[in-house]
Amino acid sequence: MLKFDHVSKRYPETGDVLTEVSFEMRRGEMAFLTGHSGAGKSTLLKLIAMMELANRGQVFLDGQNLNRLSPRKIPFMRRKLGLIFQDYKLLVDKTVFDNVALPLMVAGYGRHDIAKRVRAALDKVGLLGKEKKYPLALSGGEQQRVGIARAVVNKPQMILADEPTGNLDPELSQEVMHLFEQFQQVGVTVLIASHDLFLIKKMGYRILKLDHGRLVNG
Amino acid sequence: MTKAQVKNNIGFKDKLHAYLFSHLHAFFSSLGRLVASPVSSIMTVIVLAVAIALAASFYMVVANAKQLTGSIEASNQLSVFLKASVNEQQGREFFRELQQHSNIQSLSYISKQQALQEFKAQSGFGAVLEILSDNPLPIVIQALPKDSLKDNFEIKALATEIGNHPQVDVVQLDMDWLRRLQAIMQMLGRGVMLINALLAIAVIFITGNTIRLELQNRKDEVLIAKLVGATHAFVQRPFIYTGFWIGLAAGLCAWLILLVLLWTMQGPVEQLSLLYHSQFDLLFPNLLETLTIIFSSSLLGVLGAWSVLLHQLNLIKPQ
Ligand SMILES: Nc1ncnc2c1ncn2[C@@H]1O[C@H](COP(=O)(O)OP(=O)(O)OP(=O)(O)O)[C@@H](O)[C@H]1O
Ligand SMILES: [Mg+2]
């Protein structure tokens, strides 16, 4: 599903952020990405989401070389992904419902289909009663779960989550992780960047550890 | 995995429905947005409306002037001024001679006396003319060439032929000034076309700038839509509709402004035409012209939006 082949990423301002990163993920695999702050976790996820391009090496997603993907194809490639951002990236002037509905609108679903799927996704993250609320009227953890609902609403082939439990209490974190496990069990590939070493170790999945932009185990 | 894929399959009919729905959504949400921030929208619309009203009124000026010259067009007659030495009897004789001419359709004879009276009545110099013992005005014969002589060249030949008679002083081709007028009209029409093209460019740029600002304001939305897999077409749709609504509103306002301008001008124009003893009705935009104003204004709005989106959307990274 995913393959990094000697990938390096450098920002002109900061220099090398990722150096010679190589790993593979099978379809339906679940893995955690850890490392100190600034190790390059978010950057690695951004390469998969086509938000940044690798300077050296190749990233393959679903058999496609992302370095060679034409701009016209990028939107369709992104629809295979469910992205959960560290800073949520919710639209503050849209309701929770509209936020979660966005990937479906974009992919051209009908109105009834959208309503059904959005409710199902919100139900999964325990926010069914809040669909008419605006993001700023929600707590940090609730906003984070709206972001998760948006990521899974389109039944993606791969979920990329950047600190999805950063603002959740241990109990909710556990629930969210369990949700990801459920997706993994129906064949979705899941990659989660997280600091929460205790939770990660407890769950017992594969761990990719970054240290100053280098993969130290995986 | 495969389960998820199967569920993602959407039928063609549903897709079409969803496509139309997304258009309708963009169509009305863009209108909603404009209505929600009325001050800035109204200002843009007024600026655009003034530019379009200006273009439309230039057009109406030319249309009215064309109507005016059109009514004169029929009078391509020759005024034959006889020499001052020619007396009434000789004049009448020459008049009868011309009546035999095969290329002349009709003639009218204006004697010295008639000419004087007309001049007195029209010029208001009556008192001055009383002092003159002699009537200084020549005999004038007005000749209308046969319709078969529509060709300008033939009419000129006829004029020269008449001018060669010893009794004749000058032959004036009324068509000369008519042709000049027509040339002026043509120039005017061309000038208006150029000015209107400039105004259209201004409208495109003003709409474009409005859309650019709107895009800046909604950068986050565009970015997030892109990240969840929106195509260019999807992202730009609401902005194109915004351009359309602005253009449409500007077109309607421009039409109202034009009507007010024409109503204001109607009185003075009527007065002027009374002074010329003529009946001249000010032309108002007809249905086709009205629709043209509104349609082209909407089209310019769309063009303005589109031209800006073409490169501005690419500036919002990531792709
Ligand atoms: N757009 C950017 N331009 C320049 N430098 C960047 C950019 N994004 C990230 N960096 C730099 O790259 C390095 C890695 O950043 P990244 O966000 O990938 O770290 P991280 O592992 O996600 O950290 P955290 O755990 O704090 O989220 C940092 O030193 C950061 O300053
Ligand atoms: Mg990060």
Side-chain angles (χ1 to χ4, degrees):
Chain A
M1 182 73 203
L2 178 70
K3 182 179 173 190
F4 269 59
D5 184 14
H6 298 281
V7 174
S8 296
K9 175 68 190 172
R10 100 183 349 255
Y11 287 114
E13 301 91 338
T14 20
D16 283 338
V17 175
L18 292 175
T19 319
E20 296 279 324
V21 174
S22 296
F23 69 95
E24 272 184 62
M25 279 185 82
R26 280 178 293 102
R27 226 172 251 284
E29 192 181 351
M30 177 144 156
F32 286 98
L33 184 63
T34 64
H36 60 90
S37 180
K41 303 182 293 291
S42 298
T43 305
L44 191 147
L45 295 183
K46 280 180 186 164
L47 289 178
I48 307 172
M50 293 150 277
M51 294 163 74
E52 297 287 351
L53 271 184
N55 296 98
R56 268 179 291 124
Q58 263 111 40
V59 181
F60 295 90
L61 179 62
D62 204 15
Q64 296 261 10
N65 186 339
L66 297 187
N67 284 20
R68 301 229 183 92
L69 202 63
S70 83
R72 260 183 337 106
K73 287 198 179 141
I74 289 180
F76 301 97
M77 204 63 181
R78 284 210 183 107
R79 290 180 197 174
K80 296 179 183 178
L81 300 174
L83 306 180
I84 296 156
F85 302 94
Q86 201 165 6
D87 55 355
Y88 321 145
K89 291 206 195 302
L90 300 179
L91 292 169
V92 292
D93 60 344
K94 293 228 153 99
T95 60
V96 166
F97 182 96
D98 287 345
N99 266 286
V100 176
L102 190 62
L104 300 175
M105 294 270 301
V106 154
Y109 282 81
R111 214 159 13 133
H112 300 294
D113 234 1
I114 290 180
K116 216 170 59 194
R117 284 171 188 246
V118 169
R119 296 231 169 75
L122 284 175
D123 191 23
K124 273 184 192 142
V125 296
L127 288 177
L128 198 48
K130 313 247 171 174
E131 47 188 274
K132 294 213 174 66
K133 287 235 162 78
Y134 286 86
L136 293 183
L138 301 178
S139 74
E142 283 168 335
Q143 291 182 41
Q144 197 150 33
R145 283 182 283 152
V146 174
I148 294 171
R150 184 181 61 190
V152 301
V153 74
N154 197 14
K155 303 219 159 64
Q157 298 183 29
M158 182 169 191
I159 291 172
L160 299 175
D162 199 350
E163 307 284 355
T165 58
N167 272 306
L168 303 181
D169 57 49
E171 202 174 322
L172 262 179
S173 299
Q174 187 82 52
E175 268 178 45
V176 165
M177 287 301 178
H178 184 62
L179 181 64
F180 288 140
E181 277 183 313
Q182 283 174 352
F183 275 96
Q184 186 257 333
Q185 274 152 23
V186 296
V188 179
T189 315
V190 185
L191 181 58
I192 303 163
S194 176
H195 278 126
D196 197 343
L197 281 175
F198 177 73
L199 187 64
I200 293 171
K201 292 237 168 74
K202 203 174 80 178
M203 291 186 67
Y205 289 97
R206 180 182 172 195
I207 296 174
L208 299 160
K209 187 161 188 241
L210 278 174
D211 184 14
H212 294 98
R214 287 177 190 277
L215 205 56
V216 290
N217 75 339
Chain B
M1 182 71 258
T2 42
K3 207 164 142 195
Q5 260 176 340
V6 170
K7 276 196 182 164
N8 271 350
N9 261 341
I10 323 168
F12 173 74
K13 220 176 125 192
D14 288 343
K15 252 185 185 159
L16 186 69
H17 266 281
Y19 183 74
L20 293 179
F21 170 65
S22 121
H23 264 276
L24 275 181
H25 183 83
F27 190 67
F28 288 113
S29 70
S30 55
L31 179 63
R33 240 169 236 284
L34 287 176
V35 176
S37 58
V39 177
S40 65
S41 334
I42 287 173
M43 291 213 295
T44 312
V45 165
I46 287 177
V47 172
L48 292 175
V50 167
I52 293 164
L54 209 57
S57 23
F58 283 146
Y59 171 83
M60 288 315 293
V61 166
V62 172
N64 275 293
K66 267 193 189 142
Q67 175 191 235
L68 193 62
T69 56
S71 67
I72 314 171
E73 209 146 21
S75 64
N76 56 347
Q77 62 178 359
L78 307 173
S79 297
V80 181
F81 294 84
L82 302 188
K83 285 183 178 148
S85 57
V86 176
N87 63 30
E88 292 296 331
Q89 197 197 339
Q90 291 165 319
R92 291 273 174 204
E93 228 163 79
F94 182 57
F95 180 72
R96 278 190 289 276
E97 197 179 314
L98 284 183
Q99 274 177 331
Q100 309 303 318
H101 201 289
S102 56
N103 277 338
I104 291 176
Q105 187 181 318
S106 65
L107 286 164
S108 65
Y109 183 87
I110 302 166
S111 68
K112 290 188 180 201
Q113 199 52 41
Q114 276 172 313
L116 186 65
Q117 256 150 24
E118 231 171 81
F119 186 66
K120 271 183 186 166
Q122 283 187 5
S123 68
F125 283 128
V128 182
L129 293 167
E130 296 292 335
I131 304 170
L132 298 169
S133 54
D134 256 358
N135 181 354
L137 295 176
I139 298 165
V140 182
I141 298 172
Q142 288 189 322
L144 193 66
K146 282 244 166 79
D147 277 346
S148 55
L149 243 64
K150 272 299 171 219
D151 188 295
N152 181 36
F153 193 70
E154 287 176 333
I155 295 174
K156 272 226 167 99
L158 177 66
T160 337
E161 188 200 323
I162 297 173
N164 282 339
H165 285 275
Q167 296 96 321
V168 176
D169 188 8
V170 279
V171 180
Q172 202 180 348
L173 254 174
D174 286 358
M175 228 175 55
D176 272 359
W177 73 266
L178 186 67
R179 287 178 59 80
R180 273 180 216 133
L181 187 64
Q182 279 169 345
I184 291 173
M185 287 303 305
Q186 211 159 21
M187 193 184 71
L188 209 65
R190 183 68 59 88
V192 162
M193 225 170 73
L194 289 177
I195 291 174
N196 285 1
L198 288 180
L199 286 170
I201 291 173
V203 168
I204 288 179
F205 272 82
I206 295 167
T207 335
N209 196 47
T210 307
I211 298 295
R212 195 181 55 81
L213 292 175
E214 175 84 2
L215 193 63
Q216 290 300 319
N217 288 340
R218 294 167 64 189
K219 216 171 167 171
D220 290 344
E221 197 178 330
V222 168
L223 182 80
I224 292 171
K226 278 185 174 186
L227 287 178
V228 299
T231 56
H232 250 68
F234 181 92
V235 171
Q236 71 179 17
R237 201 169 292 147
F239 295 98
I240 300 261
Y241 279 126
T242 304
F244 167 78
W245 285 118
I246 291 177
L248 181 70
L252 287 171
C253 283
W255 179 68
L256 286 177
I257 292 174
L258 184 64
L259 287 190
V260 170
L261 288 182
L262 287 169
W263 271 321
T264 318
M265 291 303 290
Q266 203 169 23
V269 166
E270 249 162 37
Q271 246 168 358
L272 187 69
S273 83
L274 270 182
L275 288 178
Y276 276 93
H277 308 283
S278 75
Q279 178 61 40
F280 177 72
D281 290 319
L282 199 59
L283 272 185
F284 276 68
N286 60 28
L287 182 66
L288 183 70
E289 284 157 346
T290 302
L291 289 179
T292 306
I293 292 173
I294 293 168
F295 175 78
S296 46
S297 164
S298 315
L299 185 71
L300 289 175
V302 169
L303 276 180
W306 181 72
S307 63
V308 159
L309 290 167
L310 210 59
H311 73 286
Q312 289 280 328
L313 264 190
N314 283 324
L315 294 185
I316 298 180
K317 294 283 171 206
Q319 274 287 318

